[in-house]
Amino acid sequence: MKLFRIPREPKVYLDVVKLLAIVMVVFNHSGNNGYKMYLDVTAEPAHSLMLAFSAFIKIAVPLFFMASGALLLRRDEPYGVTFVRRILRFAGILAAVSLFYYWESLGKDGVFSLREFLVHLYRNDLTGHLWYLYSYICMLVLLPLLRKLAQGLRARDMLLVVIVWQAAQLLPAADYAIFRGAAVHTSYISFFTAAAYVVYPLLGYYIDNLQPEEEREETVYILLFLSILSIFFTCVLMHWRQGLDGGWTNSNREAYMGCLSVIPAATVFYGAKRIFSRCSAKGWLPKALFVLGSCTFGVYLFDPKWRLFTQEIRLALTPTIGLYAATWVQTLCAVLMGLAAMLVLKCVTSGLAALARFIIPRGGEDAA
């Protein structure tokens, strides 16, 4: 009786990427205790190092989209299958998880209102971290089109997509440089590839399908150099905006974080592929990584809970190792707790499903 459907030769690097990304996601939600500590720490070089690392952390969501692109865009399935197995499924997950957070927000004396819940679901104002699921569903809606785009991609095409994406990400900085917040560029300057759920899945598919003969040894070093430049210029933009505004404000504390993430994300994704493609896909470790990688979605969905359950760890360690390091320990503990909980849940649900498949046919034969 098999509890998990594991591919014969799982792509180890995709599971490693997802596990790395979920750690970054949870840390990204740590606020001023970790991710945004650069706002409170002014002493150098600590301030610049924290700011640079936070800029690097922003590749988390791009990595998830890239892994989804590598997995989903290579498949060929009818529109109906995509709609039922993917869009409706994730829309149901979004509604169910949103209902959980809505019910929790009511407290003991709250009165459930279906209309109010649907309004919250429509506006996504119950918990901010679910924004990714809305974007993911948008990607699923466009999945048949993205597959056709991906399968015809060439190097020049992918380069054009990345350039257009990067230009669109830097337009807000150009707006502020010209108008100082008094105006922005016209909304008609818009590109459909300037959506994260378009560019990153395409990029993930492109890198995943690069053939050995298409790869060059210097690519990794070029990407590393460009990644360092991207993070450096992110820090420059952040300090430039802070200087113009006379300090950190609600509008500028994350103004350009993530706007130059495409190259660092591509570097980590490509580097993981190069490193782990040499590893054997057989044995227990690739299977274990695949199972853990499949649990990362549940860690993301209930991230506020995992961080709440582990906050005592941060509080206990802060006097000894400092708040920043303690937050990192809490982050790792929250991820491990989430992975363990999702693993148990998957074992239970998969076990019950396997047991049902075993019993029902047997019962049918007995009845006959």
Side-chain angles (χ1 to χ4, degrees):
M1 185 183 296
K2 293 184 178 180
L3 292 180
F4 303 102
R5 294 181 180 179
I6 301 175
R8 291 182 179 179
E9 294 187 358
K11 293 191 174 184
V12 177
Y13 89 94
L14 290 178
D15 299 311
V16 172
V17 163
K18 288 192 284 187
L19 289 168
L20 175 64
I22 195 60
V23 173
M24 292 180 172
V25 165
V26 176
F27 185 77
N28 184 56
H29 296 159
S30 61
N32 289 56
N33 293 326
Y35 167 71
K36 294 180 184 176
M37 191 177 284
Y38 60 85
L39 298 173
D40 301 322
V41 175
T42 57
E44 295 291 356
H47 169 77
S48 294
L49 289 174
M50 287 179 179
L51 179 59
F53 193 70
S54 293
F56 175 72
I57 285 291
K58 298 303 284 186
I59 71 171
V61 170
L63 288 177
F64 272 122
F65 273 130
M66 291 172 74
S68 296
L71 290 169
L72 297 179
L73 297 187
R74 66 187 180 189
R75 301 178 183 179
D76 187 17
E77 56 190 18
Y79 275 55
V81 173
T82 300
F83 180 74
V84 174
R85 289 180 55 187
R86 304 199 188 282
I87 298 173
L88 284 184
R89 176 189 169 202
F90 280 94
I93 291 173
L94 173 61
V97 174
S98 297
L99 181 61
F100 168 81
Y101 286 110
Y102 173 66
W103 189 271
E104 184 183 49
S105 70
L106 294 176
K108 294 182 180 179
D109 302 323
V111 178
F112 177 81
S113 167
L114 179 60
R115 181 183 181 280
E116 183 182 13
F117 165 68
L118 292 176
V119 170
H120 284 302
L121 180 64
Y122 182 74
R123 294 168 55 184
N124 184 33
D125 57 3
L126 289 167
T127 174
H129 79 289
L130 290 182
W131 72 266
Y132 169 76
L133 198 46
Y134 286 82
S135 291
Y136 189 79
I137 292 172
C138 289
M139 184 200 74
L140 295 178
V141 171
L142 293 178
L143 199 54
L145 174 62
L146 291 177
R147 282 176 176 144
K148 290 180 173 60
L149 288 174
Q151 291 163 11
L153 274 179
R154 298 295 181 266
R156 290 182 180 179
D157 305 323
M158 194 67 250
L159 181 61
L160 175 62
V161 171
V162 170
I163 290 173
V164 169
W165 157 266
Q166 192 60 84
Q169 296 303 300
L170 291 173
L171 271 177
D175 289 339
Y176 206 81
I178 298 169
F179 301 110
R180 296 294 191 271
V184 295
H185 64 279
T186 173
S187 61
Y188 291 103
I189 300 178
S190 178
F191 306 92
F192 85 98
T193 55
Y197 59 81
V198 172
V199 62
Y200 286 117
L202 290 176
L203 184 57
Y205 174 87
Y206 178 79
I207 294 175
D208 183 64
N209 286 275
L210 276 176
Q211 300 303 311
E213 59 271 16
E214 297 177 288
E215 299 180 14
R216 300 167 63 178
E217 286 299 323
E218 63 268 25
T219 300
V220 172
Y221 303 105
I222 293 172
L223 286 174
L224 281 171
F225 174 72
L226 293 176
S227 295
I228 293 171
L229 282 182
S230 297
I231 294 171
F232 171 75
F233 281 114
T234 298
C235 296
V236 169
L237 283 173
M238 291 292 289
H239 284 132
W240 166 75
R241 179 67 181 271
Q242 180 208 21
L244 286 179
D245 295 347
W248 295 115
T249 66
N250 288 335
S251 61
N252 71 22
R253 59 186 179 181
E254 283 192 274
Y256 308 116
M257 298 294 274
C259 72
L260 292 166
S261 290
V262 64
I263 299 301
T267 303
V268 171
F269 198 85
Y270 179 74
K273 180 190 174 187
R274 287 287 299 270
I275 293 171
F276 292 97
S277 61
R278 302 170 185 172
C279 301
S280 172
K282 298 179 181 180
W284 65 270
L285 183 58
K287 295 179 180 179
L289 288 173
F290 177 83
V291 173
L292 290 176
S294 69
C295 293
T296 55
F297 185 60
V299 179
Y300 150 73
L301 288 177
F302 299 103
D303 163 62
K305 290 300 173 187
W306 311 132
R307 286 184 292 110
L308 176 65
F309 296 151
T310 56
Q311 67 177 350
E312 292 300 326
I313 296 174
R314 185 190 75 243
L315 296 174
L317 292 177
T318 296
T320 306
I321 62 176
L323 180 57
Y324 193 77
T327 301
W328 263 112
V329 175
Q330 180 199 5
T331 296
L332 295 175
C333 291
V335 171
L336 290 174
M337 177 181 288
L339 290 174
M342 290 301 106
L343 182 60
V344 170
L345 180 62
K346 279 181 174 287
C347 287
V348 171
T349 55
S350 299
L352 290 175
L355 186 62
R357 288 193 299 269
F358 177 76
I359 293 175
I360 291 175
R362 184 178 177 181
E365 292 173 4
D366 292 343

